Amino acid sequence: MKLAKRQIQKYHDEPLSFKEDISLEDVAKERFPKTVLALSQLTVTGEVSYSRENDVLFNATVKGKITVPSSRSLLPVELPLDLMINERYVEKEERLEHFEETEAAFLLENDMLDVDQSVLDNIMASLPLQILTDEEKQSDDLPAGKDWVVVSEDDFEKESSAEKDSEKLDPRLAKLDDFFKE
């Protein structure tokens, strides 16, 4: 779904409200082939308005489901999507300097608001870094192979401290150790 600036300008007094079911699976798989395994039809409910500063304000909620690979085993994991989008689009690039880095302000390209692209970008940004299947969440077993094993950070620290304790100084060199401490 794309909205032209001149179409949005009509909504100075009252926002343009919409509720659309959109399908972005093909675009998502094309843009993010290693991340998106499946994407359900999305229900996007929101409004677009034109502010006093001549900015386009886009506010929406997105609901659906996305299937992505587990970050541990690459097995498919289905995640529910329920996110809010609050973005501002400006006409001139110089206006972007007036916003903080934490504010979602973007340049309106070709006088068009591409709702589909905004929705897809927000979905990808909302994905957690660690995605696990239900079995992986229940189990403490980590992947292993021939001559390698994945260890948790806690186990690594315990192992490191145990190694340091076992590296005791040869009693014949104890006097030298005292010499270097001074």
Side-chain angles (χ1 to χ4, degrees):
M1 177 170 65
K2 292 184 181 185
L3 300 170
K5 182 178 95 174
R6 66 178 178 275
Q7 191 180 8
I8 300 167
Q9 284 175 329
K10 298 175 188 174
Y11 296 93
H12 262 292
D13 300 328
E14 192 175 306
L16 165 65
S17 297
F18 62 89
K19 182 174 183 178
E20 296 280 328
D21 290 330
I22 59 175
S23 178
L24 298 177
E25 184 173 34
D26 293 338
V27 176
K29 284 181 175 181
E30 184 179 315
R31 280 185 59 197
F32 306 100
K34 293 182 180 179
T35 305
V36 178
L37 302 176
L39 182 61
S40 72
Q41 188 162 348
L42 304 169
T43 301
V44 182
T45 307
E47 56 187 37
V48 178
S49 60
Y50 208 70
S51 74
R52 291 183 184 139
E53 300 87 20
N54 295 328
D55 297 341
V56 175
L57 305 176
F58 174 58
N59 302 304
T61 59
V62 179
K63 295 184 187 245
K65 293 181 181 173
I66 187 169
T67 304
V68 293
S70 161
S71 53
R72 187 177 293 166
S73 64
L74 300 179
L75 292 171
V77 178
E78 186 177 88
L79 300 175
L81 294 173
D82 187 4
L83 58 119
M84 301 223 19
I85 301 171
N86 296 305
E87 296 178 335
R88 176 183 296 259
Y89 291 85
V90 298
E91 293 179 21
K92 296 181 180 168
E93 196 168 352
E94 302 86 51
R95 286 255 311 127
L96 290 174
E97 297 171 7
H98 295 96
F99 301 100
E100 304 224 1
E101 285 185 29
T102 56
E103 293 181 79
F106 305 98
L107 186 62
L108 189 64
E109 296 178 14
N110 302 323
D111 290 339
M112 295 288 283
L113 172 60
D114 189 345
V115 174
D116 294 352
Q117 181 176 337
S118 174
V119 168
L120 185 56
D121 289 345
N122 278 279
I123 288 171
M124 298 311 292
S126 72
L127 292 178
L129 292 176
Q130 186 179 51
I131 302 168
L132 302 174
T133 64
D134 291 336
E135 295 81 24
E136 291 168 338
K137 288 177 189 174
Q138 309 264 330
S139 172
D140 288 336
D141 295 339
L142 295 173
K146 183 179 179 185
D147 299 328
W148 66 271
V149 64
V150 176
V151 294
S152 69
E153 194 171 339
D154 292 337
D155 290 344
F156 178 75
E157 288 176 11
K158 287 176 189 173
E159 192 175 300
S160 295
S161 64
E163 285 177 11
K164 286 179 185 175
D165 292 343
S166 67
E167 293 176 4
K168 296 190 178 181
L169 188 61
D170 186 338
R172 296 172 290 178
L173 301 174
K175 287 283 186 188
L176 284 176
D177 188 41
D178 291 337
F179 175 76
F180 288 114
K181 286 183 182 176
E182 294 174 3

